[in-house]
Amino acid sequence: YSEQSVQQTTVAVNNYVDGMKDKLSKISDEISESQSTVEINERVASTIRIQNDIYAVMVYDMQGNLLCCSSDDLTMKKNIYKNLSFDKELFESAEEYAVTLPHVQTIFEGRYPWVVTMARREEQPLLGGEVYVAIDFRFSEIAKYIDNVGVGRHGYCYIIDSDGNIVYHPQ
């Protein structure tokens, strides 16, 4: 029973990650179809309002400068000390999609949720050429899959990466 629970959870998390990729592709298409940065922000903001798991959508240049950012009516900080959602080394090394470890989102005033960033590199002529389109997904949505899995009387499920490092642990 425990093994079956873990396998079902693995399938659920993999399906969720596939959904994240699909949302990133759709938002990238919306950005490509936009005629201005104002239109980009309007289109993306309307998508965020109906997607509970999306916290913010960002577009970065290749050096990590934030070109545009859409959220559900959140106020960006004037001075961002460190943007934990941008990982240049990870983004550059990704073949198609880069996925960060869970981290605190730090670019909005008074809000510090745990998120996972998924990004991909693409050509966006309106934004000056090659950019990274990134989405911060609320980590709580992913954690729900793991937290509800009981393994035996006192067991629990957790996520590790391919190197054996803990990505998420419910305790």
Side-chain angles (χ1 to χ4, degrees):
Y1 172 77
S2 296
E3 186 176 325
Q4 186 178 27
S5 293
V6 171
Q7 288 173 350
Q8 288 173 342
T9 303
T10 300
V11 169
V13 171
N14 286 335
N15 287 340
Y16 186 81
V17 171
D18 288 344
M20 290 168 61
K21 290 176 184 177
D22 186 51
K23 289 173 186 178
L24 180 55
S25 294
K26 287 178 181 173
I27 286 176
S28 294
D29 291 345
E30 288 184 20
I31 291 170
S32 294
E33 294 166 5
S34 299
Q35 302 299 312
S36 68
T37 54
V38 171
E39 186 179 350
I40 289 171
N41 286 328
E42 288 172 356
R43 284 177 169 228
V44 172
S46 65
T47 301
I48 291 172
R49 281 187 205 97
I50 60 173
Q51 300 287 332
N52 293 336
D53 59 341
I54 297 177
Y55 187 74
V57 175
M58 295 82 52
V59 179
Y60 300 99
D61 66 14
M62 299 308 286
Q63 288 71 45
N65 299 308
L66 194 56
L67 301 176
C68 66
C69 179
S70 295
S71 66
D72 191 13
D73 297 326
L74 297 174
T75 304
M76 280 188 59
K77 291 179 179 176
K78 287 182 177 70
N79 296 313
I80 300 168
Y81 174 68
K82 180 153 177 80
N83 181 353
L84 300 175
S85 293
F86 184 80
D87 184 334
K88 184 175 175 132
E89 187 177 311
L90 175 67
F91 289 9
E92 285 178 348
S93 66
E95 289 183 30
E96 188 173 359
Y97 295 94
V99 180
T100 67
L101 292 173
H103 60 277
V104 175
Q105 211 307 347
T106 58
I107 64 175
F108 296 105
E109 293 287 343
R111 300 282 179 101
Y112 303 97
W114 281 88
V115 297
V116 171
T117 304
M118 179 178 277
R120 75 178 196 184
R121 183 183 355 206
E122 59 183 61
E123 193 68 32
Q124 293 287 349
L126 175 65
L127 298 171
E130 201 169 41
V131 297
Y132 294 108
V133 177
I135 298 177
D136 277 347
F137 289 92
R138 296 176 197 276
F139 193 72
S140 59
E141 295 298 314
I142 299 168
K144 284 180 191 177
Y145 289 108
I146 305 304
D147 291 346
N148 293 324
V149 177
V151 181
R153 297 187 115 214
H154 302 288
Y156 48 84
C157 222
Y158 57 95
I159 300 173
I160 59 173
D161 64 15
S162 58
D163 296 326
N165 300 311
I166 294 177
V167 173
Y168 174 73
H169 193 292
Q171 300 176 353

